[in-house]
Amino acid sequence: MELVCEAPAKINLYLAIKGKRADGFHELETRMLKITLADRLHLAKRDSGITLECPGSDLPTGEGNLVYRAAKSFFAALGTGGGVHIVLEKKVPIAAGLGGGSSDAAAVLRGLNTLYGVPFSFEELVALAHPLGADVPFFVHDCSVAWATGIGDAIQAEDISPAEWIVLVNPGFAVSTQWVYENFTLTTGGNPYILGRDFVHGNVACAGPGNLPLYNELEAMTIGKYPELGRIKDALLADGAHGALMSGSGPTVFGLFDNEAQARKSVARFAERFGRNVFLAQPLSTQAKL
């Protein structure tokens, strides 16, 4: 038996750091949106063992890959044997703030649950997802948009759509999530990209229906080290985006567009410089026209 799974990327429409926990993780408030940019995984049932291929990438194919660890967790919980051969086709940039690895892990959990006759309930799959990473439970959920708290793993589904079209620009270098969080300091003022520690409607950019707040508290520090990200934001806004923001811990910057022609023109302009690191996407709940 074989199964093909899509693993969508996400963007953070809102991300605030509320504090640091005793275990070293940060308490968050974040709104995440799944988008049509996605990896693809091919799962083939085997009698035993886990094998993983990542063609076209230098990703590890063993314990160093979250996909492998997700499969290992599934079979450990299953306890009755079984195995899988996985082929991971990467399209979502790595270490880009788009949750690609977490989404891949969630797709493996969901896919294996289907291949093996649904031995686990939704709640049990979420429990398997928790130890794998803060974003993995979000991708196990069916919802396209969610407000998440805790370390990002307490999920409340929402029914919103902030834009019709999303332009994503990855500058071609990775940013370590660990570095971002370790160097994060709560600060205000002195930098045009710092909007303030507390949420204030007057100094937070808004996007989409209901003037959703568009905010990322990690952005200022990351732009401070990589000012190119600020220039990308400015260029997206100049291209007609009604909002632009760094996603997650970066470095991918996205622009929200309501006009398809403007979005496609912006993609073409950025592609002249960043090539295949520029993507046109839509909210996952929107019928894709790409």
Side-chain angles (χ1 to χ4, degrees), residues 123-166:
E123 291 76 13
E124 290 169 330
L125 279 187
V126 170
L128 287 176
H130 271 272
L132 295 170
D135 288 345
V136 183
F138 168 62
F139 288 108
V140 169
H141 280 71
D142 284 329
C143 62
S144 297
V145 191
W147 178 256
T149 54
I151 60 172
D153 58 347
I155 306 298
Q156 179 181 335
E158 295 185 324
D159 184 17
I160 56 174
S161 182
E164 181 77 8
W165 298 91
I166 304 164

Side-chain angles (χ1 to χ4, degrees), residues 8-206:
K10 60 83 181 170
I11 56 175
N12 296 85
L13 300 171
Y14 183 89
L15 176 59
I17 313 300
K18 309 305 291 182
K20 193 171 183 178
R21 307 187 335 173
D23 61 8
F25 289 99
H26 287 79
E27 291 279 346
L28 309 175
E29 289 181 345
T30 185
R31 176 172 285 115
M32 295 182 285
L33 168 70
K34 294 174 186 173
I35 60 176
T36 53
L37 174 65
D39 293 335
R40 179 169 292 175
L41 295 99
H42 302 258
L43 310 181
K45 196 173 182 180
R46 297 287 186 265
D47 290 335
S48 64
I50 301 167
T51 53
L52 171 63
E53 294 180 50
C54 305
S57 80
D58 57 0
L59 287 171
T61 56
E63 291 278 355
N65 194 307
L66 195 58
V67 163
Y68 186 97
R69 298 202 299 274
K72 185 177 179 180
S73 295
F74 178 89
F75 288 117
L78 189 64
T80 57
V84 66
H85 177 67
I86 305 169
V87 178
L88 170 58
E89 298 179 14
K90 285 297 293 181
K91 186 173 182 181
V92 179
I94 299 166
L98 300 174
S102 296
S103 186
D104 294 338
V108 166
L109 291 177
R110 290 170 58 123
L112 286 175
N113 203 44
T114 298
L115 276 179
Y116 278 84
V118 194
F120 299 117
S121 67
F122 166 74
E123 291 76 13
E124 290 169 330
L125 279 187
V126 170
L128 287 176
H130 271 272
L132 295 170
D135 288 345
V136 183
F138 168 62
F139 288 108
V140 169
H141 280 71
D142 284 329
C143 62
S144 297
V145 191
W147 178 256
T149 54
I151 60 172
D153 58 347
I155 306 298
Q156 179 181 335
E158 295 185 324
D159 184 17
I160 56 174
S161 182
E164 181 77 8
W165 298 91
I166 304 164
V167 176
L168 301 107
V169 183
N170 182 276
F173 55 80
V175 171
S176 165
T177 299
Q178 182 178 357
W179 175 86
V180 172
Y181 278 94
E182 285 181 351
N183 288 275
F184 174 75
T185 55
L186 303 181
T187 183
T188 60
N191 185 310
Y193 291 100
I194 296 176
L195 299 178
R197 176 68 182 95
D198 296 318
F199 173 74
V200 179
H201 283 283
N203 67 0
V204 177
C206 295

